[in-house]
Amino acid sequence: MTASITGTETRRLRLDVSGMTCGACASRVENKLNKVPGVQASVNFATGVATIDAVEEVGESDLMGVVTKAGYGATPHLDAVPSDDADPNARVARDLLVRLAVAAVLFFPLADLSVMFAVVPQTRFAGWQWLLTALALPIVTWAAWPFHRIALKNARHRTSSMETLISVGVTAATLWSLYTIFVTPQPARQVHGVWNALLHSDSIYLEVAAGVTVLVLAGRYFEARAKSRAGSALRALAALSAKDVSVLMADGSEMVLPVDELQEQQQFVVRPGQTIAADGLVIDGSAAVDMSAMTGESTPARVREGGSVIGGTVVLDGRLIVEAAAVGADTHIAAMVRLVEGAQEQKAAAQRLADRIAAVFVPAVFVIAALTAVAWWWTGAGADRAFSAALAVLVIACPCALGLATPTAMMVASGRGAQLGIFLKSQRALEAIRAVDTVVFDKTGTLTNGRLTVTEVVSVGWARDDLLRLAATVESASEHAVAVAIAAAAPHATGGIAEFRSEAGRGVSATVAGQTVRIGRPSWVARGMPVPETIAALRTEAESRGETVVLVAVDGHVCGGIAVADTVRDSAAEAVATLHQRGLRTVLLTGDNPATAAAVGHQVGITEVIAEVLPEGKVDVVQQLRDRGAVVAMVGDGINDGPALACADLGLAIGRGTDVAIGAADIILVREDLGVVPQALGLATATMKTIRTNLIWAFAYNIAAIPIAAAGLLNPLIAGGAMAFSSFFVVSNSLRLSNFGKDH
């Protein structure tokens, strides 16, 4: 892929970045990369991927060196999505679970003894300090080593992160406790009640350092598990690809090969229960194919000789011989995986603000903690009190929540959308959806099935079949849906054509056997010509039924009319009704004549119809709606819809449409059921709501929690638990999106 930085051609690179532990890390890596001339980078903390647009002079190794110099690891991004076993978040979770288990086993007796020694000082015996130390040291050293390791690495690079706060807090609490119980032991004094002992004991024993470690480990473990679940939908989509393929040899035998060795135009065999290895054309056989994993449609599709199939779908019955048309990275499923990954690359404006705050968050927390300690010391509260409040500030602060707020929600939403046949291409879709009040539908291929057939032919001065063959001969040179229908109605039409011309939205003309033939829109074909009564009657009757009529003129005389019909999708009326229930305005935009357009609009429940719009005029209509204050979502599928999809505030492309439409859209819908349109809008709305909730929580938590801790109202142990809960809440809240649509 190429992009442009100030007019210079660039290429897009992606790096897997390791060692990032909070949004501040992602922001730091992003800033370092963006300082390289000719580079624009975006780093996603949740996915650990840096997306970079760089000029040709900047090599991939140079960029990895920048990341490494910043204190993090970098490797070229693999297109292959890791399996569940290779999922890095799952590996992290397993390591954290072991450390958490050991820490928890040691912490509970440590906490019990510490509380006992605080509540009943008379129970202290000779060597009680050594017992507490023996229980605590494995926790604050080995169990907490992931935090210490990253903090030390940060220190070498003169940076800081969430791990720095945790490591400094745990280390400081440990050293202060050792000093307190060994060097300057506190005089024994009665503290009434366990809760008071926890909240108000001036003496900080090792249970605080150990408890913070346990709570943070627990939070990180559940966070890693949740992040792994967030990416499970993408891994499931990628896992749909077949591993092996039975290639059909020239002698009729079969050879089983790894799927990555399959070449285009090779023929392969698929049997019941097997996954189709590549996109292709059915050469022989008939079978029911389960498309649910790719499109979300539960009803199997029957494919026959001449039909197309998609890699990653499953044959339920029958045997197919398929000729590979697209393999590897060119397959439909590979493109869908790239779409899901690409949706996670961009950042919303709110997330960029959060990342900038996270970049200065940790140093700011250290300053606040120091000021807290000084303030409490100045008030005469004593060293214990001052240290306790400062420690609470260190361990309650949570920049992780800021960094996870948007990307985790986007990760879950894009994965869930893929399961439903909805692919969110960018966060533009999410930011635009909040204000959408008007949904504009294209007709052919969107509200209708897009498969036109000839229903009636009327001729004057010509035999019906001769006129149809003549029209089919001319239309065979066009790819328009009406042309395809007419050509299919006379498949044996022959004859050479010359001087073929096509006028978008109007029709075609050519010379056949010395005769000038014009076929297309009645207003274009019949200008200046009388229209025979029988042909005019055909037009009136057919258009009243919602059919389209094209006229045929030969050597300046209108001599025929051809009616073509396209059936309305069964799901169209219900989808439109759902949009109306949500208070959205719907508009039908089509190049058809007003009568046909009105008939289709009536069928599906759309009363606002704009007809006879040329392809280039669709953009003008969308822009006019926007100029009047409407926030427009455009739904289309054809090549003519591409500019309108790009012009709209939100573009939704039917995935079976053209590459142009898909490339211009913000959301791609791969299901035939139009009910996916309100579902897609609902998913985008739910995702944006989740992101807002996450960001509000992340900001509000830190704004409220740090002053409370500084005021000395929180025991450091409780503060550690609150910090662990904060980032876990953000990820868990995002995971709620994985259930979207299951109750519908």
Side-chain angles (χ1 to χ4, degrees), residues 447-449 567-575 604 672-675:
L447 288 176
T448 65
N449 290 302
T567 57
V568 173
R569 295 181 188 270
D570 295 336
S571 57
E574 185 178 354
V604 301
E672 297 282 348
D673 186 351
L674 272 180

Side-chain angles (χ1 to χ4, degrees), residues 35 159 234 625 687:
K35 288 180 180 179
T159 60
L234 177 58
L625 290 169
T687 304

Side-chain angles (χ1 to χ4, degrees), residues 441-453 479-483 485 546-548 564-569 588-593 596-597 600 618 634-641 654 656-658 661 674:
F441 287 93
D442 172 57
K443 182 180 80 70
T444 304
T446 303
L447 288 176
T448 65
N449 290 302
R451 294 182 287 272
L452 297 173
T453 56
E479 296 181 353
H480 192 278
V482 172
E547 298 179 6
T548 298
V564 295
D566 186 9
T567 57
V568 173
R569 295 181 188 270
L588 172 58
L589 186 62
T590 178
D592 281 341
N593 62 80
T596 299
V600 173
K618 291 183 179 181
M634 173 74 190
V635 186
D637 78 316
I639 190 169
N640 295 333
D641 301 325
I654 304 297
R656 303 295 176 86
T658 67
L674 272 180

